[in-house]
């Protein structure tokens, strides 16, 4: 039998050498139980437990052959396999495993059952608790498989046992303290029963104890390498300085069985693995020892991977995958494997471009491409690189396409500009740019930069450049490689909406032109008339109004979809800053960054003195874009600001960044809130580069008033108490950290003047300031002063204002509304009010936090969630990202109750001297303060109980407390307190089952293979894992009852199984034995409903005034008083319905509700009850259309009679007079029915009005056309006489017209018509 050697250092390796823990699959546990201590082999049961998860399937194997498996109806932790009396057929080697999500678990330890005269051989191994030096401690563990055994520790060469123990479980732990050389040797372990001292086990495998540290450590290497594929060969070489030693190779992940021994060949030993397996992966080390078991130090740990596929690598590019020609780019390859080389590959290239060996593979090493050209453009990927041959598959998550373009892009829009840069590595006299599409285009430049404008789309084409040098000004170089500039691709299509809108627009235009033509035509045809133009003007106005009305009605039509009101709000202001790789000389390589707080930003625009170019759409979650400037030259000086673009809006411009020269830093921006006498004031100085120092100056003083070190891109100078002496003009400057300092220009002056102010207003949000995206937020700013104007600020920037309401006396107030909050709307809000010349102090700020941007944190209570009144509680909020601000929320409060900023990833909120009012649900969030307070999801609520008594838990059984013999059941102890353990008590039994540290609201206690010993009354209570004097209450008492041992009873119901609500029902349970207790059960309820102890053979369970929830399936059992809780079989199930009408069925149409030509539709009516008859009804028909027992009705559409609304109902065959409620109606339509209509009723009304208007317009024109030959004017007054003119033909020219005076001028209301020929 092979010896196993263990070194005392092994238990300490993980701590002293820092080995990264590897995922070890939880192993099933297997042991023996027996109900006969004096004859244990007469009746034995094997128990198998899942240590880390619940499972529904367990498997028992004997001699590597499956002999039994169980599948419970619910998940549990352990199951039992009944073996019975040990015989020749049941002896052998046993193992068990449990089912995981994707297969069976790792088998348990081997349990060997031999003859009934011998106990199974125990398992023997060692644990070390200290380093391998004399004086450390070690534990030797012996597992005997059976409880209540006597364990004996033996040492080779000793006649007496070294130690013995009688533990309560199946394992003994023998401790060896203060290790000395005399403790070296070979140890054994044996067991025997306390009641049968003659029944011994076989000796365990011998364990060789070696004391390490007496010889120098060996070296361990692997050939061909430590990373191989399954099936390949591996050879370990362990080499020491001393000849003739015994070498040991060990794998840390399986010390009990993964030790290999070899005699040395000279001073080294080889351990060969012919065909590797994936389970050979692990951490290996070796040592050597002499004949006296004095050992060496341990070798360095060698990590071995056996895998078919490497973890995928991913490639990151900095600063951007779109890089300017001549710049440097860094390609960083990252993966999960340490100490392995990496190689950079380019598509269409055979071998790797660059290689990083395993020693340089860390976060600070990258593949660097310097002075990139168009040849460097292409698709890159990275993979692991090994120096030996192996069949391991290597994959990558992503590839990176590197684009080397002209500055800043090779694609530009109409009206935009692009700068083309021509670069060479030596001095040049002059550069020339040529455009292939124009021979006369050449431009000249000294610095090699050419600005190309795309006016009216004429800038696209192919460009190249040449240069000349001073020595030979008349000789030019060869042209560079062509650079093509193209327009962006325009994608999309002409939608029906746009087509209809264009038609309406053209229609309106044509109508207006027609109106003008009509008016001019009438005027020209009647230009010789000498009557007033009132009629002509009135007619023209009427026609114009009709045309305009028709055009407006047309514009009101929808195009088949409902119109939706969209509120467009301006996007938040972006942030502009600069970054450099040279903090001492930042202008040698400068990049401008523009970042938006809005997550819906599509692209960015950088503007310089009115000239702009477009950046590509940001691909990262940080929503930012880079504009690399390179070395700062005179052409780069100017004022810069950026915009962010969304689909329907453009942001406000960022604050301006001014580049003034190569030796002067950009001018900072200074700001401050309104100074108030006696209060603290913070002055904000915003720079543009990180790593700079800040200085605050006051006019009239030579030295800085305050100075601050490098703390980011901005600094806050504090005036502790604002007084008259602090008034004046202030400015700030930035400078480099190293001397001699390089200074920026001074900022614009900021004048601080203490003015008379009103008191600050009252400012709050109507709802909580912690909101999710899309929520509605209203800010309320109010004061007791009358007739005030209000201004709303966000991050000290004015964003809205409100004028005073002069007509309303009393206090003033303003409400500012954000209809739908976006990610960029978070921030610090405040308000002020003012009248003609006096302003108020700023209000207290309100932090608006927009959640659901980052993952949620976790919230824990220390010492626990239940605390005595007057004590302190610490709530720890653990986030993911560093340097965030945290907020603690309590359910029912308006705003967060505490805020804290953290440099790490967590904060502690202290609830001091808590009282009953502090009880409740708490949660926390974290958010960033630099970009619009973008926050995380709220943590899972944590209930805090402030009480001197734990709330009472509830004990229930799953699937039921009434179960059959041999079934598995789980007792659940449930309570509202989280993170607390539970204890399960059984009446009459002193021992308790414990479940520690439950992470949910409930504790599970599985009971497998229910037997007579499991019957009883149970209760549970909390068991907190912290020291507390809080009282603990027991739960309810649960009676666990076993059925199937007595004849089943019968169950009847009076007056019947279907009753109306409010009636009384009696359930009669008839048994066969006297002196019995009857139990009424309901399907779905875990507890019995009622219990009775009648004097006879029958129990009547009375249910008064039944309700809908009393409907269900009932059964009953009984048990004898002489054997309580040992019950009979279940009675036949009895279903009871409490209803006036049975539940309504459901009606559906197949394949659809639209008739197709020559096709039928099947209506399917389904109800919840069996044994029913269905009927189908059609609206408009008095009698039902069809009857069916299966609920299927076939409908055809002959002559259009199938169209309409249908419903169905059913009746019980046993109760033919009781009908159910009708189902919801289903409408069947034709192919051109309402389904095909997409417009609203309003469209129909508008279309009708259009038709009416057009018809009326036609009638008016027709009538007027007929009137023109006989046009008359009446009632006009000229020279005091009535005059009537009749026109026979309006188009007769050159003939004189005559009129006749009225004979009676005294009667103005009467006129005489006289016909005068023309």
């Amino acid at each position: 039998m092979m010896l196993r050697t263990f070194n005392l250092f092994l238990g300490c390796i993980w701590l002293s050498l820092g080995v990264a823990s590897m995922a070890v699959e939880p192993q099933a546990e297997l042991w023996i139980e027996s109900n006969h201590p004096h004859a244990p082999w007469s009746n034995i049961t094997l128990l198998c437990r899942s240590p880390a998860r619940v499972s529904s399937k367990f498997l028992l194997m004997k001699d590597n052959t499956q002999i039994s498996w169980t599948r419970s109806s619910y998940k549990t932790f352990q199951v039992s396999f009944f073996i019975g009396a040990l015989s020749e057929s049941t002896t052998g080697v046993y193992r068990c495993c449990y089912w995981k999500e994707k297969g069976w678990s790792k088998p348990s330890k081997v349990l060997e059952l031999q003859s009934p005269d011998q106990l199974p051989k125990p398992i023997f191994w060692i644990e070390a608790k200290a380093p391998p030096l004399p004086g450390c401690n070690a534990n030797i563990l012996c597992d005997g498989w059976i409880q209540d055994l006597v364990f004996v520790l033996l040492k080779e060469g000793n006649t007496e046992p070294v130690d013995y123990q009688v533990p309560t479980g199946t394992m003994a732990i023998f401790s060896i303290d203060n290790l000395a050389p005399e403790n070296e040797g070979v140890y054994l372990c044996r067991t025997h029963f306390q009641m049968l001292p003659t029944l011994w086990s076989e000796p365990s495998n011998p364990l060789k104890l070696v004391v390490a540290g007496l010889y120098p450590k060996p070296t361990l290497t692997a050939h061909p390498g430590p990373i191989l594929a399954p099936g390949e060969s591996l050879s370990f070489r362990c080499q020491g300085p001393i000849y003739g030693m015994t070498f040991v190779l060990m794998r840390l992940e399986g010390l009990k069985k993964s030790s290999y021994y070899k005699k040395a060949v000279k001073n080294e030993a080889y351990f060969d693995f012919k065909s590797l397996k994936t389970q050979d992966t692990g951490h290996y080390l070796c040592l050597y020892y002499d004949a006296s078991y004095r050992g060496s130090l341990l070798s360095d740990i060698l990590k071995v991977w056996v895998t078919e596929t490497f973890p995928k690598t991913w490639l990151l590019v900095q600063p951007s995958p779109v890089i300017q020609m001549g710049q440097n780019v860094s390609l960083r390859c990252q993966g999960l494997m340490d100490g392995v080389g990496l190689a950079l590959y380019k598509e269409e290239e055979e071998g790797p471009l660059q290689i990083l060996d395993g020693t340089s593979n860390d976060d600070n090493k990258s593949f660097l491409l310097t002075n990139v050209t168009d040849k460097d453009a292409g698709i890159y990927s990275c993979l692991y690189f090994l120096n030996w041959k192996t069949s391991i598959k290597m994959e990558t998550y992503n590839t990176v396409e590197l684009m080397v373009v002209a500055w800043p892009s090779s694609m530009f829009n109409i009206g935009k500009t692009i700068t083309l840069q021509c670069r060479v590595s030596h001095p040049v006299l002059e550069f020339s740019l040529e455009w292939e599409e124009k021979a006369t285009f050449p431009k000249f430049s000294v610095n090699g930069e050419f600005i190309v404008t795309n006016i009216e789309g004429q800038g696209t084409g192919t460009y190249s450049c040449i240069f000349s040098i001073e020595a030979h000004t008349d000789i030019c170089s060869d042209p560079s490689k062509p650079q093509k500039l193209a327009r962006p691709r325009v994608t999309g299509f002409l939608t029906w909406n746009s087509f209809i809108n264009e038609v309406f627009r053209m229609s309106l235009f044509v109508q207006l032109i027609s109106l003008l033509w009509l008016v001019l035509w009438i005027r020209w045809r009647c230009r010789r008339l000498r009557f007033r133009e009132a009629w002509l003007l009135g007619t023209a106005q009427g026609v114009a109004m009709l045309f305009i009305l028709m055009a407006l009605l047309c514009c009101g039509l929808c195009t088949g979809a409902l119109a939706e009101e969209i509120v467009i709000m301006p996007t938040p202001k972006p942030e502009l800053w600069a970054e450099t790789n040279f903090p001492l000389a930042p202008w040698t390589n400068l990049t401008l960054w523009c970042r938006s707080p809005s997550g819906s930003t599509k692209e960015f625009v950088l503007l310089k003195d009115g000239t702009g170019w477009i950046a590509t759409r940001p691909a990262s979650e940080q929503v930012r874009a880079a504009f690399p400037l390179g070395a700062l030259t005179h052409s780069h000086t100017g004022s810069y600001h950026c915009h962010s673009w969304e689909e329907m809006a453009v942001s406000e411009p960022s604050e301006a960044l001014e580049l003034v020269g190569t030796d002067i830093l950009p001018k900072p921006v200074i700001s401050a809130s309104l100074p108030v006498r006696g209060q603290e004031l913070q002055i904000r100085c915003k720079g543009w580069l990180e790593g700079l120092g800040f200085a605050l100056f006051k006019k009239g003083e030579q030295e800085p008033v305050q100075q601050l070190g490098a703390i980011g891109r901005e600094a806050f100078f504090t005036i502790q108490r604002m007084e008259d002496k602090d008034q004046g003009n202030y400015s700030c400057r930035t400078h480099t950290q190293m001397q001699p300092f390089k200074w920026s220009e001074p900022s614009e002056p900021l004048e601080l003047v203490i003015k008379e102010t009103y008191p600050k207003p009252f400012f709050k949000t109507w709802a909580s300031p912690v909101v999710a995206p899309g929520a509605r937020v209203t800010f309320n700013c109010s004061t007791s002063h009358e007739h005030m104007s209000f201004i709303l600020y966000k991050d000290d920037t004015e964003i809205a204002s409100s004028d005073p309401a002069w007509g309303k006396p009393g206090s003033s107030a303003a409400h500012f509304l954000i209809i739908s909050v976006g990610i960029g709307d978070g921030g610090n809000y405040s308000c002020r009010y003012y009248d003609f010349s006096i302003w108020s102090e700023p209000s207290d700020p309100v932090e608006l936090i927009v959640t659901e941007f980052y993952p949620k944190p976790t919230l824990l209570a220390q010492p626990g969630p239940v605390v005595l009144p007057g004590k302190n509680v610490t709530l720890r909020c653990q986030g993911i990202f560093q340097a965030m601000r945290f907020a603690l929320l309590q359910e029912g409060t308006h705003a967060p109750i505490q805020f804290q900023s953290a440099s790490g990833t967590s904060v502690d909120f202290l609830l001091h001297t808590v009282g009953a009012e502090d009880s409740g649900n708490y949660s926390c969030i974290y958010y960033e303060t630099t970009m619009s307070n973008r926050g995380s999801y709220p943590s899972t609520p944590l209930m805090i109980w402030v009480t001197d008594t734990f709330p009472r838990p509830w004990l229930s059984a799953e699937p039921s407390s009434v179960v059959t013999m041999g079934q598995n059941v789980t007792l659940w102890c449930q309570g509202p307190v989280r993170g607390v353990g539970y204890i399960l008590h059984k009446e009459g039994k002193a021992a308790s089952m414990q479940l520690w540290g439950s992470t949910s609201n409930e504790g599970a206690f599985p009971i497998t293979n229910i037997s007579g010993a499991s019957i009883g009354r149970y209760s549970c209570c909390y068991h907190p894992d912290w020291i507390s004097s809080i009282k603990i209450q027991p739960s309810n008492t649960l009676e666990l009852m076993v059925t199937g041992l007595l004849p089943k009873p019968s169950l009847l119901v009076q007056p019947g199984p279907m009753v109306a609500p409010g009636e009384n029902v009696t359930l009669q349970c008839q048994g066969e034995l006297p002196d019995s207790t009857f139990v009424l059960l309901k399907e779905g309820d875990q507890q019995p409903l009622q219990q009775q102890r009648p004097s006879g053979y029958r129990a009547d369970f009375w249910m008064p005034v039944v309700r809908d929830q009393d409907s269900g399936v009932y059964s009953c059992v009984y048990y004898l008083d002489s054997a309580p809780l040992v019950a009979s079989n279940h009675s036949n199930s009895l279903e009871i319905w409490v209803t006036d009408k049975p539940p309504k069925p459901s009606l559906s149409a197949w394949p659809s509700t639209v008739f197709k030509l020559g096709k039928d539709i099947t209506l399917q009516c389904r109800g919840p009850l069996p044994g029913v008859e269905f009927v189908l009804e059609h609206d408009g028909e008095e009698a039902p259309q069809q009857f069916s027992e299966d609920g299927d009705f076939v409908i055809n559409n002959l002559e259009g009679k199938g169209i309409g609304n249908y419903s169905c109902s059913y009746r019980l065959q046993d109760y033919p007079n009781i009908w159910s409620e009708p189902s919801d109606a289903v409408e069947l339509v034709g192919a051109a029915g309402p389904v095909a209509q997409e417009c609203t009723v309003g469209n129909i009304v508008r279309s009708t009005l259009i038709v009416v208007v057009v018809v009326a317009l036609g009638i008016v024109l027709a009538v007027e056309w007929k009137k023109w030959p006989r046009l008359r004017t009446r009632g006009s007054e000229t020279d005091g006489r009535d005059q009537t003119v009749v026109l026979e033909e309006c188009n007769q020219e050159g003939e004189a017209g005559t009129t006749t005076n009225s004979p009676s001028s005294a009667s103005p209301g009467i006129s005489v018509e006289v016909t005068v020929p023309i």
Side-chain angles (χ1 to χ4, degrees), residues 407-408 412-413 415-420 449-455 576 592 604-615 627 629 635-643 645 657:
W407 169 261
F412 60 145
N413 292 334
K416 303 299 181 181
T417 61
I418 280 183
T419 300
L420 295 177
E449 294 186 358
F450 303 92
I451 297 177
V452 180
T453 305
N454 193 27
I455 299 175
L576 180 65
L592 301 186
F604 293 89
V605 176
L606 180 67
L607 300 179
K608 170 184 174 283
D609 300 331
T611 302
W613 52 86
I614 301 176
F627 299 86
L629 300 182
S635 63
H636 294 124
T637 58
S639 180
Y640 292 81
H641 63 272
C642 70
H643 293 268
W645 284 4
L657 186 156

Side-chain angles (χ1 to χ4, degrees), residues 707-738:
Q707 282 189 286
L708 295 173
I711 52 177
R713 290 195 298 271
E714 62 182 13
F716 291 90
F717 301 98
T718 303
I719 300 177
Q720 299 294 338
R721 184 179 178 85
M722 193 69 188
E723 302 293 347
D724 291 339
K725 62 182 179 63
D726 297 315
Q727 299 184 102
N729 289 321
Y730 289 81
S731 63
C732 70
R733 298 179 69 183
T734 60
H735 61 83
T736 57
Q737 284 294 301
M738 302 295 292

